[in-house]
Amino acid sequence: MKDRYASAKSKKIGKKYVHKHEESNVLISDIIHRNDLGSNIYECFIAFDENLPFFFEHPVDHLPGLLLIEAARQMGIAVVHQFYGIGQDTYFILDRFFSRFYNFVEFELETILRITVNEFKEKSRKGNGEFTGVICVIQNNKILAEFEIIGNCISKKIVNRFRKRNLLQVSTI
């Protein structure tokens, strides 16, 4: 396990897995499947560029909450792509996102994100699905924040068709 951790921690996940164009906007490392904890549990590390102006426009001594939220969102996207067979031609649409912060997440400490995928239902069309999960932010074996995500994976083709219909309805008002 330690070898897999060292390898995962050493590099950011590919930007295509988190739907980013710029490498600097990727906030997580490679993801590892934690079968030792459960068949539905995955972990990664927070891995960010300290020069990102959106998150670090002023000096901070802790990880900003919005950075943690975005890292959790990226992890949800990457897990469904890498472990649940959802292709790159799919939108990741958050339906609900709940957050709870228990303590500061310290800047200088190693930060782990652990997701437990509570449910993944593949819909009738291949590549579409619904999922729910809880992502914990962990430092020194303590949970400092939790995020519950509920979302859908829908093919870009279906989303574009929906948008066209929706735009037609809007234009007739």
Side-chain angles (χ1 to χ4, degrees), residues 10 13 15 18 36-38 46 57 67 77 82 84 91 112 115 129 136 138 141-142 150 153-154 164-165:
S10 66
I13 196 166
K15 60 187 178 181
V18 295
D36 57 316
L37 299 177
I46 300 266
E57 68 173 353
L67 183 140
I77 293 170
Q82 292 188 316
Y84 288 87
Y91 281 106
I112 295 171
I115 186 170
C136 297
I138 301 167
N141 294 315
K142 292 182 182 149
I150 301 165
C153 305
I154 302 174
K164 283 180 185 175
R165 274 193 242 139

Side-chain angles (χ1 to χ4, degrees), residues 51-65:
N51 295 315
L52 285 171
F54 182 79
F55 297 115
F56 300 107
E57 68 173 353
H58 62 279
V60 293
D61 63 351
H62 62 278
L63 293 182

Side-chain angles (χ1 to χ4, degrees), residues 18-156:
V18 295
H19 301 181
K20 292 295 175 188
H21 294 286
E22 299 294 328
E23 179 76 26
S24 61
N25 291 325
V26 175
L27 302 177
I28 62 172
S29 71
D30 280 336
I31 296 172
I32 44 179
H33 191 179
R34 290 297 308 265
N35 281 315
D36 57 316
L37 299 177
S39 63
N40 59 337
I41 298 176
Y42 307 86
E43 286 185 350
C44 69
F45 295 89
I46 300 266
F48 57 90
D49 178 351
E50 294 176 33
N51 295 315
L52 285 171
F54 182 79
F55 297 115
F56 300 107
E57 68 173 353
H58 62 279
V60 293
D61 63 351
H62 62 278
L63 293 182
L66 281 178
L67 183 140
L68 298 171
I69 289 170
E70 173 59 14
R73 187 192 73 81
Q74 288 183 16
M75 186 179 197
I77 293 170
V79 164
V80 297
H81 281 313
Q82 292 188 316
F83 300 99
Y84 288 87
I86 298 299
Q88 292 297 315
D89 61 338
T90 304
Y91 281 106
F92 177 88
I93 300 170
L94 281 175
D95 182 24
R96 285 168 273 170
F97 190 100
F98 302 99
S99 59
R100 179 169 284 173
F101 296 91
Y102 303 113
N103 210 330
F104 286 100
V105 178
E106 299 299 336
F107 198 76
E108 69 281 349
L109 297 177
E110 181 175 89
T111 307
I112 295 171
L113 294 180
R114 178 183 297 152
I115 186 170
T116 302
V117 178
N118 294 328
E119 185 174 28
F120 181 83
K121 286 192 260 182
E122 192 166 6
K123 293 185 179 178
S124 59
R125 295 182 185 205
K126 188 170 171 38
N128 294 322
E130 299 176 349
F131 66 92
T132 63
V134 174
I135 299 172
C136 297
V137 179
I138 301 167
Q139 283 185 333
N140 290 332
N141 294 315
K142 292 182 182 149
I143 296 173
L144 302 178
E146 288 181 294
F147 307 110
E148 181 181 355
I149 57 173
I150 301 165
N152 291 283
C153 305
I154 302 174
S155 76
K156 289 181 181 179

